[in-house]
């Protein structure tokens, strides 16, 4: 964690102007910018220069009103604490997910000299999944730490103390990242092994049931009984052995169920 800035008391158009950017090779792409006016208003801007009418942003105003804005349309309007010296506790301004392919697709180069500070994130720290990597902007009274997603692992955090409330900018990954990547290919191998074993079990069960229900199955035992043969007359009988295959055990149950008359 890095802490920056102490209030100098000077009145400037912006008491804070910072950026979060992703370093992709030799390129630095802007993800968000954070601006605090001398009036106390806080803005989080999302660069979408390919459509100049879009201008999406989140804002917290000195009056305590906060809202989202896109295509000059306000939504999610709320009234909370005023962002001044009376501010207490912590409040989230906005939290966004970022995936590794998005900064280059948005393609907004970040010029570090345009900002008072740039929070630079290596591309390798940004996950490809949507979304396991997040950027959170929070306001807090001095010495308060804003809550994050349970189990979150902080990759980078900076605290701007140019005014009260302090502004926290936190880049973190959620527990889902560790579940997926710790162990890497081994975890993926175990997952696929589990599904393969399950499929094999189902196929094996079907095979067993079909086998048990077959009359040629070994679960059908031969029952051999002597049968009298009176072809030479009653006074001279012969006995021939005749064998029948009868079901037994579980095969008998299957045989009975198959033979049960339908209603």
């Amino acid at each position: 964690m890095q802490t920056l800035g102490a209030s100098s008391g000077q009145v400037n158009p912006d008491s804070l102007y910072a950026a979060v950017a992703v370093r992709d090779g030799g390129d630095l792409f802007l993800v968000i910018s954070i601006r605090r006016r001398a009036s106390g208003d806080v803005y989080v801007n999302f660069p979408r220069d390919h459509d100049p009418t879009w201008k999406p942003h989140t804002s917290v105003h000195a009056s305590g009103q906060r809202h989202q804005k896109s295509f000059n349309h306000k939504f999610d309007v709320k009234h909370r604490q005023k962002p001044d010296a009376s501010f207490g506790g912590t409040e989230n301004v906005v939290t966004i997910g970022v995936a590794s392919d998005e900064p280059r697709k948005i393609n907004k180069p970040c010029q570090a000299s345009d900002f008072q500070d740039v929070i630079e994130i290596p591309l390798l720290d940004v996950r490809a999944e949507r979304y396991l990597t997040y950027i959170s902007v929070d306001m807090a009274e001095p010495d308060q730490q804003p809550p994050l997603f349970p189990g979150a692992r902080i990759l980078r955090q900076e605290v701007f103390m140019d005014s009260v409330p302090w502004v926290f900018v936190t880049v973190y990954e959620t527990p889902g990242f560790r579940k997926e990547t710790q162990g890497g290919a081994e975890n993926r191998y175990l997952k696929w092994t589990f599904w393969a074993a399950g499929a094999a079990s189902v196929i094996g069960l079907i095979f067993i049931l079909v086998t048990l229900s077959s009359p040629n199955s070994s679960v059908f035992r031969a029952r051999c009984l002597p049968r009298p043969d009176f072809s030479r007359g009653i006074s001279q009988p012969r006995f021939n052995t005749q064998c029948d295959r009868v079901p037994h055990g579980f095969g008998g149950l299957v045989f009975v169920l198959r033979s049960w008359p339908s209603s």
Side-chain angles (χ1 to χ4, degrees):
M1 181 177 71
Q2 184 176 358
T3 58
L4 298 176
S7 179
S8 63
Q10 298 178 355
V11 177
N12 298 313
D14 296 313
S15 63
L16 167 65
Y17 191 31
V20 178
V22 170
R23 172 68 66 182
D24 184 357
D27 299 317
L28 187 63
F29 295 105
L30 182 65
V31 180
I32 62 171
S33 64
I34 304 101
R35 184 189 295 267
R36 173 152 50 189
R37 299 290 191 184
S39 62
D41 294 354
V42 176
Y43 295 86
V44 179
N45 300 293
F46 312 99
R48 299 294 186 271
D49 291 358
H50 60 280
D51 187 344
T53 65
W54 192 353
K55 296 182 179 179
H57 64 270
T58 301
S59 58
V60 178
H61 295 274
S63 64
Q65 177 179 296
R66 59 177 61 198
H67 59 258
Q68 312 288 330
K69 198 168 187 179
S70 179
F71 293 105
N72 206 33
H73 172 69
K74 291 182 183 179
F75 60 96
D76 195 24
V77 179
K78 300 176 182 177
H79 293 273
R80 299 284 179 82
Q81 298 184 72
K82 294 180 179 180
D84 58 22
S86 66
F87 189 93
T90 68
E91 287 187 12
N92 178 253
V93 178
V94 69
T95 298
I96 65 165
V98 57
S100 58
D101 64 329
E102 293 177 335
R104 186 170 287 279
K105 286 181 178 178
I106 296 171
N107 196 29
K108 173 63 176 178
C110 178
Q111 185 64 42
S113 59
D114 292 340
F115 302 92
Q116 296 172 4
D117 186 67
V118 175
I119 303 171
E120 187 174 311
I121 313 169
L123 185 64
L124 290 177
D125 284 349
V126 183
R127 305 311 306 163
E129 299 85 352
R130 289 173 171 75
Y131 287 103
L132 296 177
T133 308
Y134 289 88
I135 302 171
S136 178
V137 180
D138 299 271
M139 298 184 302
E141 66 175 299
D143 299 320
Q144 287 284 324
Q145 177 76 25
L148 300 175
F149 190 91
R153 185 166 75 92
I154 295 176
L155 302 174
R156 183 81 182 272
Q157 184 178 75
E158 293 196 12
V159 187
F160 298 95
M161 301 182 295
D162 55 292
S163 185
V164 176
W166 292 356
V167 174
F168 284 71
V169 181
T170 310
V171 183
Y172 65 91
E173 60 190 25
T174 63
F177 168 81
R178 293 192 293 278
K179 290 178 182 177
E180 176 65 21
T181 60
Q182 281 189 353
E186 296 176 357
N187 278 352
R188 289 190 291 273
Y189 171 79
L190 290 175
K191 180 175 69 175
W192 284 111
T193 301
F194 172 81
W195 285 110
S201 298
V202 172
I203 294 172
L205 179 60
I206 294 173
F207 177 79
I208 291 172
L209 291 176
V210 171
T211 301
L212 291 177
S213 62
S214 171
N216 295 322
S217 170
S218 61
V219 298
F220 286 81
R221 291 181 178 173
R223 181 179 61 184
C224 300
L225 296 174
R227 301 293 176 89
D229 181 4
F230 298 103
S231 60
R232 297 183 179 182
I234 297 178
S235 62
Q236 296 180 331
R238 290 188 307 174
F239 288 90
N240 297 326
T241 300
Q242 182 175 341
C243 297
D244 297 319
R245 293 176 62 81
V246 295
H248 74 98
F250 186 76
L253 176 61
V254 174
F255 181 84
V256 170
L257 293 177
R258 284 167 51 90
S259 306
W260 195 271
S262 58
S263 57

